Amino acid sequence: MTIHPAIPPRPASYDKAVGLALQGGGALGSYQAGVYEAIADSPYLPDWIAGISIGAINAAIIAGNPPKDRVARLRQFWEEITAPTPLWPSPRTGVAEFDHGVGALRALMLGQPGFFTPRAATDWVFGGKPTSYYDTAPLRATLERLVDFDRINAKEVRFSVGAVNVHTGNFIYFDNHTRHIRVEHVMASGALPPGFPPVEIDGVLYWDGGLVSNTPLEYVLESQPRRSRLMFQVDVFSATGPRPRDLDMVAERETDIRYSSRTRAATTAFRTLHNVRRNLDILLTKLPAELRETPEAKFLYDFSCVARMDIAHLIYRPSTPQGRTKDFEFSQATMRERWRQGLADAGATLHASPWLAPMPPNVGVRTFDVTRPQTATA
């Protein structure tokens, strides 16, 4: 049951389309599922869902099910892939650092049910030279069971996932508005080497899109024709964090900074560029008619834009350190904690609905981070 406070009514005057951008981050993706649970019970259902890596998997489950079933299917996926097994029941000791380490060790040694399994010893002895440590055949079966790809291809919701061409190193989006989406496209977006094998699509090998860009935000906002949009940008790595006290915390902060910096850089660059476009449009309307007809003015007109964007950041900020292995710590208790935090953060953001405040006429992009700590952690 949704636990967030009341959401202000969405006025008819707020007519922006809604998008959902889901970052990569392995086991941290259960935070995204919690965020979606809050959005699903709001007046801001997305018409475009884009993801990379685990974000692509969550996006496929959302887009590949009717609205009434989406949260239940997300819950089914996350409960199944984090379920304890007889070989490793994963009891909790109450010591957070130890429990996180045990959960990550289980994933490394045994894989996760319905997701990935370690390659058999025979693959290494008799199979030549494997190109990954794990086999993702279980994920294929899970996706085919939980995702209706016919629904995705019916284009009820726009769906985009990012991957990298292994041969050229070029980044590509598989988009249901330009191609027929299959299970391989989702798996390719989450094929992070060297853990997971590349996925072949029409004779070409692809790896995880997070190798180049860990957020699909720019792809959605820059797609032509641009449309005024509210974007929920869900990130699972936080730019801010505590001062590291040991090497494990150093590794965790390094990972957070490395992945969050890409998202921040993309968001900052888009905000700057789009504010220029907005002000160009305002300026051009003030020019005399004869100046508007000059080649220079026409060039600038093509560059200008009237679309206006609101970006609501939802960032996973755990209250305690989780260590360098947090993105493959799939214990069920931790998964549920992250889900609850995503639900709470999204609920607080929707309750605040800062995007309903009047937008200054010369601003093309606004960003909001409702749950951001007011002061940096020492």
Side-chain angles (χ1 to χ4, degrees), residues 131-213:
T131 58
S132 68
Y133 292 108
Y134 299 94
D135 180 9
T136 53
L139 176 61
R140 173 186 289 271
T142 299
L143 289 173
E144 289 176 338
R145 179 166 47 85
L146 297 182
V147 177
D148 182 351
F149 284 91
D150 288 338
R151 177 177 289 272
I152 289 178
N153 289 305
K155 304 177 185 178
E156 296 175 7
V157 173
R158 188 162 181 179
F159 171 82
S160 314
V161 294
V164 175
N165 185 313
V166 174
H167 309 282
T168 66
N170 292 334
F171 192 86
I172 184 174
Y173 276 97
F174 302 122
D175 191 315
N176 67 348
H177 275 219
T178 59
R179 69 177 68 218
H180 186 84
I181 300 296
R182 309 193 304 269
V183 65
E184 290 86 0
H185 296 106
V186 180
M187 294 184 65
S189 185
L192 183 64
F196 296 165
V199 175
E200 183 173 339
I201 301 173
D202 301 327
V204 179
L205 294 178
Y206 293 94
W207 270 332
D208 191 306
L211 294 175
V212 173
S213 174

Side-chain angles (χ1 to χ4, degrees), residues 108-109 117-135 194-197:
L108 282 174
M109 294 181 63
T117 57
R119 290 202 173 276
T122 53
D123 289 350
W124 302 95
V125 177
F126 304 110
K129 297 181 179 180
T131 58
S132 68
Y133 292 108
Y134 299 94
D135 180 9
F196 296 165

Side-chain angles (χ1 to χ4, degrees), residues 20 23 47 67 89 94 124-125 134 159 162 177 194 256 260 299 305 370:
L20 178 64
Q23 189 186 53
D47 62 23
W124 302 95
V125 177
Y134 299 94
F159 171 82
H177 275 219
D256 283 348
S260 67
F299 174 84
C305 187
V370 169

Side-chain angles (χ1 to χ4, degrees), residues 60-82:
I61 295 171
I62 296 167
N65 282 283
K68 65 181 180 63
D69 295 334
R70 291 170 178 172
V71 173
R73 287 289 181 269
L74 284 169
R75 180 74 69 180
Q76 184 178 354
F77 172 76
W78 283 99
E79 291 286 342
E80 286 183 5
I81 69 166
T82 61

